[in-house]
Amino acid sequence: MSGLLGGLDLAAAALLLAMCAVAAWNLAAAPRLERAPAPASFPRVSLLVPARDEAGRLRWTLPHLRALDYPALEILVLDDRSRDATAAVAGAAAASDPRLRLIAGTETPPGWTGKNWACHQLAQAAAGEVLVFCDADVSPAPDAVTRTVGMMRACDVGVLTALPRHRPGTWGDAALAPLVAQLPVLALLPLPLVPRTASPALAMGNGQWLAFTRGAYRRTGGHAAVAGEVLEDVALAMLAKAAGQRLVCAAAARSLDVRMYDGLREARAGFRKNLYPLLGGTRTGLVLGITLFSLTMLYPLLAPVRHT
Protein backbone atom coordinates (compact mmCIF):
# COMPACT_ATOMS: atom_id res chain seq x y z
CA MET A 1 0.00 0.00 0.00
CA SER A 2 2.81 2.40 0.89
CA GLY A 3 4.44 1.67 -2.48
CA LEU A 4 1.21 2.55 -4.33
CA LEU A 5 0.79 5.77 -2.36
CA GLY A 6 4.42 6.65 -2.99
CA GLY A 7 3.86 6.16 -6.73
CA LEU A 8 0.79 8.35 -6.63
CA ASP A 9 2.75 10.99 -4.75
CA LEU A 10 5.43 11.01 -7.45
CA ALA A 11 2.86 11.10 -10.27
CA ALA A 12 0.94 13.98 -8.68
CA ALA A 13 4.16 15.91 -8.03
CA ALA A 14 5.41 15.41 -11.59
CA LEU A 15 2.09 16.53 -13.10
CA LEU A 16 1.88 19.59 -10.85
CA LEU A 17 5.47 20.57 -11.65
CA ALA A 18 4.80 20.22 -15.38
CA MET A 19 1.62 22.30 -15.12
CA CYS A 20 3.43 24.95 -13.09
CA ALA A 21 6.19 25.09 -15.69
CA VAL A 22 3.72 25.55 -18.55
CA ALA A 23 1.76 28.16 -16.59
CA ALA A 24 4.97 30.06 -15.75
CA TRP A 25 6.03 30.00 -19.42
CA ASN A 26 2.62 31.27 -20.48
CA LEU A 27 2.76 34.02 -17.86
CA ALA A 28 6.17 35.14 -19.09
CA ALA A 29 5.94 34.63 -22.83
CA ALA A 30 2.35 34.17 -24.05
CA PRO A 31 1.25 36.67 -26.71
CA ARG A 32 -0.78 39.46 -25.11
CA LEU A 33 -3.42 41.24 -27.13
CA GLU A 34 -2.94 44.56 -25.35
CA ARG A 35 0.72 44.63 -26.42
CA ALA A 36 -0.02 44.20 -30.13
CA PRO A 37 1.15 47.09 -32.33
CA ALA A 38 -1.31 49.20 -34.27
CA PRO A 39 -1.63 47.95 -37.85
CA ALA A 40 -0.06 49.92 -40.67
CA SER A 41 -3.35 49.75 -42.59
CA PHE A 42 -6.93 49.10 -41.65
CA PRO A 43 -8.74 46.39 -43.65
CA ARG A 44 -12.49 46.29 -43.27
CA VAL A 45 -13.49 44.20 -40.24
CA SER A 46 -16.81 42.51 -39.58
CA LEU A 47 -17.52 41.92 -35.89
CA LEU A 48 -20.03 39.05 -35.80
CA VAL A 49 -22.23 38.42 -32.76
CA PRO A 50 -24.63 35.43 -32.61
CA ALA A 51 -27.34 36.07 -30.02
CA ARG A 52 -30.11 33.81 -28.74
CA ASP A 53 -32.08 35.04 -25.73
CA GLU A 54 -29.29 37.49 -24.89
CA ALA A 55 -31.28 40.67 -24.23
CA GLY A 56 -29.87 41.11 -20.72
CA ARG A 57 -26.26 40.60 -21.76
CA LEU A 58 -26.59 42.76 -24.88
CA ARG A 59 -27.74 45.69 -22.77
CA TRP A 60 -24.33 45.47 -21.10
CA THR A 61 -22.12 44.58 -24.06
CA LEU A 62 -23.57 46.67 -26.91
CA PRO A 63 -22.26 49.98 -25.48
CA HIS A 64 -18.78 48.39 -25.40
CA LEU A 65 -19.13 47.19 -29.00
CA ARG A 66 -20.27 50.62 -30.13
CA ALA A 67 -17.27 52.20 -28.36
CA LEU A 68 -14.78 50.24 -30.49
CA ASP A 69 -12.41 52.71 -32.15
CA TYR A 70 -11.52 50.72 -35.28
CA PRO A 71 -12.09 53.01 -38.30
CA ALA A 72 -13.36 50.43 -40.83
CA LEU A 73 -15.78 48.35 -38.79
CA GLU A 74 -19.21 46.83 -39.23
CA ILE A 75 -21.01 45.11 -36.35
CA LEU A 76 -23.54 42.42 -37.23
CA VAL A 77 -25.80 40.98 -34.53
CA LEU A 78 -27.83 37.93 -35.52
CA ASP A 79 -31.00 37.31 -33.53
CA ASP A 80 -31.23 33.53 -33.49
CA ARG A 81 -35.04 33.30 -33.12
CA SER A 82 -34.91 34.58 -29.55
CA ARG A 83 -37.87 34.36 -27.18
CA ASP A 84 -36.88 37.48 -25.27
CA ALA A 85 -36.19 41.11 -26.26
CA THR A 86 -32.89 40.39 -28.04
CA ALA A 87 -34.13 41.78 -31.36
CA ALA A 88 -35.58 44.90 -29.73
CA VAL A 89 -32.38 45.66 -27.80
CA ALA A 90 -30.12 45.15 -30.81
CA GLY A 91 -32.52 46.96 -33.12
CA ALA A 92 -32.60 50.02 -30.87
CA ALA A 93 -28.80 50.16 -30.89
CA ALA A 94 -28.68 49.71 -34.67
CA ALA A 95 -31.11 52.61 -35.16
CA SER A 96 -28.59 55.02 -33.63
CA ASP A 97 -25.34 53.54 -35.00
CA PRO A 98 -24.86 53.12 -38.76
CA ARG A 99 -22.06 50.59 -38.20
CA LEU A 100 -24.43 48.17 -36.45
CA ARG A 101 -26.90 45.94 -38.28
CA LEU A 102 -29.44 43.45 -36.94
CA ILE A 103 -29.97 40.22 -38.87
CA ALA A 104 -32.92 37.88 -38.35
CA GLY A 105 -31.70 34.30 -38.14
CA THR A 106 -33.47 31.44 -39.89
CA GLU A 107 -34.37 28.01 -38.55
CA THR A 108 -31.43 25.69 -37.90
CA PRO A 109 -31.12 22.98 -40.59
CA PRO A 110 -30.65 19.31 -39.68
CA GLY A 111 -27.07 18.44 -38.79
CA TRP A 112 -26.18 21.90 -37.47
CA THR A 113 -25.93 23.24 -33.96
CA GLY A 114 -27.72 26.53 -33.43
CA LYS A 115 -24.59 28.59 -32.81
CA ASN A 116 -22.75 27.20 -35.82
CA TRP A 117 -25.68 27.98 -38.10
CA ALA A 118 -25.89 31.50 -36.67
CA CYS A 119 -22.16 32.07 -37.26
CA HIS A 120 -22.45 30.68 -40.80
CA GLN A 121 -25.24 33.15 -41.57
CA LEU A 122 -23.21 35.99 -40.10
CA ALA A 123 -20.17 35.10 -42.22
CA GLN A 124 -22.32 35.04 -45.35
CA ALA A 125 -23.70 38.50 -44.57
CA ALA A 126 -20.32 40.02 -43.64
CA ALA A 127 -18.47 42.42 -45.94
CA GLY A 128 -15.17 42.51 -44.06
CA GLU A 129 -11.75 41.23 -45.07
CA VAL A 130 -11.33 40.12 -41.44
CA LEU A 131 -14.10 38.27 -39.60
CA VAL A 132 -14.15 38.48 -35.80
CA PHE A 133 -16.65 36.18 -34.09
CA CYS A 134 -17.58 37.54 -30.68
CA ASP A 135 -19.97 36.07 -28.11
CA ALA A 136 -22.78 38.26 -26.82
CA ASP A 137 -21.37 38.19 -23.28
CA VAL A 138 -17.95 39.62 -24.23
CA SER A 139 -17.13 43.27 -23.48
CA PRO A 140 -14.11 44.47 -25.51
CA ALA A 141 -11.90 47.44 -24.73
CA PRO A 142 -12.14 50.26 -27.32
CA ASP A 143 -8.91 49.16 -29.04
CA ALA A 144 -9.60 45.39 -29.02
CA VAL A 145 -10.30 45.12 -32.76
CA THR A 146 -7.35 47.37 -33.61
CA ARG A 147 -5.07 45.20 -31.47
CA THR A 148 -6.50 42.04 -33.05
CA VAL A 149 -5.72 43.20 -36.58
CA GLY A 150 -2.33 44.49 -35.43
CA MET A 151 -1.36 41.15 -33.88
CA MET A 152 -2.55 39.18 -36.91
CA ARG A 153 -0.39 41.38 -39.12
CA ALA A 154 2.63 41.38 -36.78
CA CYS A 155 2.54 37.58 -36.33
CA ASP A 156 1.63 36.95 -39.98
CA VAL A 157 -1.27 34.64 -39.11
CA GLY A 158 -4.62 33.97 -40.70
CA VAL A 159 -6.36 33.04 -37.43
CA LEU A 160 -6.29 34.62 -33.97
CA THR A 161 -8.11 33.61 -30.82
CA ALA A 162 -8.01 35.36 -27.45
CA LEU A 163 -8.65 34.46 -23.82
CA PRO A 164 -10.70 37.15 -22.04
CA ARG A 165 -10.66 37.96 -18.35
CA HIS A 166 -13.51 36.16 -16.62
CA ARG A 167 -15.92 38.48 -14.77
CA PRO A 168 -17.75 36.23 -12.26
CA GLY A 169 -21.35 36.71 -11.30
CA THR A 170 -21.37 34.76 -8.01
CA TRP A 171 -18.88 32.97 -5.78
CA GLY A 172 -19.82 29.63 -7.34
CA ASP A 173 -19.21 30.96 -10.84
CA ALA A 174 -15.93 32.49 -9.66
CA ALA A 175 -14.78 29.15 -8.23
CA LEU A 176 -15.87 26.93 -11.13
CA ALA A 177 -15.17 28.91 -14.29
CA PRO A 178 -11.38 29.39 -13.90
CA LEU A 179 -10.95 25.74 -12.92
CA VAL A 180 -12.83 24.35 -15.92
CA ALA A 181 -12.48 27.01 -18.61
CA GLN A 182 -9.06 28.57 -18.00
CA LEU A 183 -6.78 26.22 -16.06
CA PRO A 184 -6.73 23.43 -18.72
CA VAL A 185 -5.49 25.94 -21.31
CA LEU A 186 -3.09 28.04 -19.27
CA ALA A 187 -1.50 25.11 -17.41
CA LEU A 188 -1.48 22.48 -20.17
CA LEU A 189 -1.05 24.31 -23.48
CA PRO A 190 2.20 26.26 -24.11
CA LEU A 191 0.73 29.28 -25.89
CA PRO A 192 4.07 30.57 -27.29
CA LEU A 193 4.40 27.36 -29.32
CA VAL A 194 0.97 27.57 -30.98
CA PRO A 195 1.98 29.89 -33.87
CA ARG A 196 5.42 28.27 -34.20
CA THR A 197 4.26 24.74 -34.92
CA ALA A 198 2.17 23.32 -37.73
CA SER A 199 0.73 20.47 -35.68
CA PRO A 200 -3.08 20.61 -35.22
CA ALA A 201 -2.50 18.99 -31.82
CA LEU A 202 -1.09 22.33 -30.63
CA ALA A 203 -4.17 24.34 -31.51
CA MET A 204 -6.73 26.15 -29.42
CA GLY A 205 -9.78 28.14 -30.38
CA ASN A 206 -12.04 30.24 -28.17
CA GLY A 207 -15.34 31.21 -29.76
CA GLN A 208 -15.68 34.14 -27.39
CA TRP A 209 -13.16 35.98 -29.62
CA LEU A 210 -12.09 34.19 -32.79
CA ALA A 211 -10.78 36.10 -35.82
CA PHE A 212 -10.04 34.95 -39.36
CA THR A 213 -8.87 36.61 -42.51
CA ARG A 214 -11.53 35.86 -45.08
CA GLY A 215 -9.10 33.69 -47.00
CA ALA A 216 -8.21 31.64 -43.92
CA TYR A 217 -11.89 31.19 -43.06
CA ARG A 218 -12.62 29.95 -46.58
CA ARG A 219 -9.64 27.58 -46.68
CA THR A 220 -10.54 26.20 -43.25
CA GLY A 221 -14.06 25.45 -44.45
CA GLY A 222 -15.80 27.90 -42.16
CA HIS A 223 -18.54 26.87 -39.78
CA ALA A 224 -19.97 24.56 -42.43
CA ALA A 225 -16.97 22.29 -41.80
CA VAL A 226 -17.91 21.96 -38.11
CA ALA A 227 -21.67 22.18 -38.48
CA GLY A 228 -22.55 19.61 -35.82
CA GLU A 229 -19.68 20.22 -33.39
CA VAL A 230 -20.41 21.43 -29.86
CA LEU A 231 -16.86 22.74 -29.42
CA GLU A 232 -16.74 24.31 -32.85
CA ASP A 233 -14.04 26.80 -31.84
CA VAL A 234 -11.48 24.10 -30.97
CA ALA A 235 -12.43 22.12 -34.08
CA LEU A 236 -12.02 25.21 -36.29
CA ALA A 237 -8.60 25.93 -34.83
CA MET A 238 -7.44 22.39 -35.54
CA LEU A 239 -8.87 22.46 -39.06
CA ALA A 240 -7.16 25.80 -39.70
CA LYS A 241 -3.77 24.34 -38.83
CA ALA A 242 -4.49 21.21 -40.83
CA ALA A 243 -5.24 23.49 -43.80
CA GLY A 244 -1.86 25.20 -43.40
CA GLN A 245 -3.09 28.36 -41.67
CA ARG A 246 -0.99 29.88 -38.91
CA LEU A 247 -2.75 30.49 -35.60
CA VAL A 248 -1.96 32.66 -32.60
CA CYS A 249 -3.62 32.34 -29.20
CA ALA A 250 -3.34 35.50 -27.11
CA ALA A 251 -4.05 36.35 -23.50
CA ALA A 252 -6.43 39.31 -23.41
CA ALA A 253 -7.10 40.10 -19.76
CA ARG A 254 -6.86 43.85 -20.38
CA SER A 255 -8.60 43.90 -23.76
CA LEU A 256 -11.61 41.60 -23.28
CA ASP A 257 -13.75 40.48 -20.40
CA VAL A 258 -16.58 38.00 -20.28
CA ARG A 259 -19.35 37.05 -17.92
CA MET A 260 -20.23 33.57 -19.05
CA TYR A 261 -22.82 32.54 -16.47
CA ASP A 262 -25.12 34.06 -13.89
CA GLY A 263 -24.66 31.81 -10.90
CA LEU A 264 -23.48 28.32 -10.08
CA ARG A 265 -26.49 26.50 -11.55
CA GLU A 266 -26.07 28.09 -14.98
CA ALA A 267 -22.30 27.53 -14.88
CA ARG A 268 -22.75 23.87 -13.94
CA ALA A 269 -25.21 23.30 -16.79
CA GLY A 270 -22.93 25.00 -19.30
CA PHE A 271 -19.83 23.09 -18.31
CA ARG A 272 -21.72 19.79 -18.19
CA LYS A 273 -22.65 20.32 -21.84
CA ASN A 274 -19.10 21.24 -22.91
CA LEU A 275 -16.82 19.19 -20.67
CA TYR A 276 -17.24 15.82 -22.40
CA PRO A 277 -16.45 17.23 -25.90
CA LEU A 278 -13.58 19.26 -24.41
CA LEU A 279 -12.01 16.00 -23.20
CA GLY A 280 -12.15 14.54 -26.69
CA GLY A 281 -15.70 13.23 -26.79
CA THR A 282 -14.59 9.71 -25.83
CA ARG A 283 -14.72 7.63 -22.67
CA THR A 284 -10.93 7.37 -22.77
CA GLY A 285 -10.61 11.15 -22.82
CA LEU A 286 -13.11 11.48 -20.01
CA VAL A 287 -11.25 8.93 -17.86
CA LEU A 288 -7.89 10.61 -18.54
CA GLY A 289 -9.36 14.03 -17.72
CA ILE A 290 -10.87 12.83 -14.45
CA THR A 291 -7.60 11.10 -13.57
CA LEU A 292 -5.57 14.23 -14.25
CA PHE A 293 -7.98 16.35 -12.22
CA SER A 294 -7.96 13.88 -9.33
CA LEU A 295 -4.18 13.61 -9.18
CA THR A 296 -3.50 17.34 -9.40
CA MET A 297 -6.49 18.90 -7.60
CA LEU A 298 -7.93 16.35 -5.18
CA TYR A 299 -5.16 13.89 -4.26
CA PRO A 300 -2.79 16.54 -2.81
CA LEU A 301 -5.55 17.59 -0.39
CA LEU A 302 -5.36 14.14 1.22
CA ALA A 303 -1.67 14.46 2.10
CA PRO A 304 -2.22 16.02 5.57
CA VAL A 305 -4.69 13.25 6.42
CA ARG A 306 -2.46 10.41 5.22
CA HIS A 307 0.61 11.62 7.03
CA THR A 308 -1.00 12.26 10.44
Side-chain angles (χ1 to χ4, degrees), residues 230 260-261 264-275:
V230 175
M260 296 171 61
Y261 303 111
L264 181 59
R265 179 179 299 179
E266 192 174 325
R268 185 174 56 194
F271 289 129
R272 183 187 298 124
K273 180 184 73 173
N274 294 323
L275 191 56

Side-chain angles (χ1 to χ4, degrees), residues 124-288:
Q124 288 188 318
E129 298 173 50
V130 176
L131 310 178
V132 181
F133 294 93
C134 172
D135 279 359
D137 53 7
V138 173
S139 300
D143 64 351
V145 171
T146 302
R147 298 291 183 185
T148 295
V149 174
M151 180 168 281
M152 294 177 78
R153 293 287 178 87
C155 297
D156 189 26
V157 299
V159 189
L160 177 146
T161 193
L163 303 172
R165 177 177 65 90
H166 178 66
R167 178 167 48 87
T170 66
W171 69 266
D173 183 20
L176 188 59
L179 184 65
V180 178
Q182 296 173 333
L183 182 64
V185 175
L186 297 177
L188 297 175
L189 179 65
L191 300 182
L193 289 182
V194 172
R196 299 175 185 173
T197 62
S199 171
L202 276 178
M204 188 271 172
N206 179 17
Q208 294 168 339
W209 193 265
L210 183 57
F212 296 84
T213 63
R214 186 171 286 277
Y217 186 75
R218 182 179 64 253
R219 286 187 283 273
T220 297
H223 284 82
V226 293
E229 296 283 348
V230 175
L231 290 179
E232 82 293 336
D233 44 10
V234 177
L236 277 170
M238 296 178 71
L239 284 175
K241 276 201 160 185
Q245 303 303 303
R246 296 187 70 233
L247 162 72
V248 64
C249 180
R254 296 183 182 177
S255 297
L256 305 167
D257 75 47
V258 61
R259 182 169 177 174
M260 296 171 61
Y261 303 111
D262 292 319
L264 181 59
R265 179 179 299 179
E266 192 174 325
R268 185 174 56 194
F271 289 129
R272 183 187 298 124
K273 180 184 73 173
N274 294 323
L275 191 56
Y276 185 68
L278 185 63
L279 294 173
T282 65
R283 292 183 179 179
T284 301
L286 181 63
V287 170
L288 288 175

